[in-house]
Amino acid sequence: MRLARRGEAGFTPSGYHHLGANTGNEWAGVSGRMSVVDGSVRPRSYDFVAGRFMAKRNLGRGSIAWLEAGWAETGWAQPGRQHIYTFNTNTKTWQFYDQYLLRPGDKIWLDLRSNDGGWWSAWLWWGDRWNLLTAQRLPLGPTATVEQYVEVHVDAGRPGLLDVPPVLVDNVRLRPADGGASRLWRDDVPTLTGSDPAQREHNGGFCLDWLTRYDTWTAGDCG
């Protein structure tokens, strides 16, 4: 890892950097595939890199409920290793699933979906079958806003340069509220990206390229 001083070229601003999109309407689930990379996350820091899907609802007055699932590399949980993880607003903690051993270059399939009675669940395709990661009763309702993001966080107390090889996300599908077959997240779906999706997005020294809006894309180092 190469460090840089604040203000110099290559310095990664501290805080959160989000690259991806969220739906402008509600769906009953999302699934897709993500590649796993080795980021220059620093041990004993609050750095992390994550590729994740999320279902969320704004409850008002600054309160948001959500369930997310993906892979992450963090500075506090076995640094240098990538983990399957979930996070939800019931427990408000990262849950790591180290029975699924990841390596850079792997590709993982994930599925978030709503179930009866207000439950939402997260699943991982592993060992030729879907494996339940978590099921949570959340105030999302049967449908929710969906996100797909690569997220980078840089420890505010340890400025420097973080490298993140581009993560490939593809085959992203949305589950309709009426229970019909999942469909590709294409540009006829109301989608919020925060920038012109026809142009390369720059955020904190990282880049996002939409290969097929919005079911196939890459995010990470701009090189």
Side-chain angles (χ1 to χ4, degrees), residues 132-207:
L132 178 65
L133 298 176
T134 189
Q136 299 288 328
R137 188 163 188 171
L138 291 158
L140 299 179
T143 60
T145 301
V146 166
E147 292 188 355
Q148 53 172 340
Y149 275 96
V150 170
E151 184 176 352
V152 182
H153 181 264
V154 181
D155 190 333
R158 297 182 60 184
L161 175 66
L162 264 65
D163 295 315
V164 180
V167 177
L168 173 64
V169 182
D170 64 6
N171 287 279
V172 182
R173 293 179 175 269
L174 297 167
R175 188 184 302 273
D178 62 7
S182 295
R183 50 149 298 170
L184 290 168
W185 185 343
R186 289 288 169 86
D187 57 7
D188 59 335
V189 173
T191 300
L192 305 175
T193 62
S195 63
D196 181 359
Q199 304 294 324
R200 169 176 260 198
E201 177 184 336
H202 296 264
N203 188 324
F206 304 107
C207 288

Side-chain angles (χ1 to χ4, degrees), residues 67 90 113-121 135-138 141-142:
L67 169 65
N90 284 338
R113 67 182 75 169
S114 67
N115 304 282
D116 294 335
W119 290 82
W120 280 75
S121 57
Q136 299 288 328
R137 188 163 188 171
L138 291 158

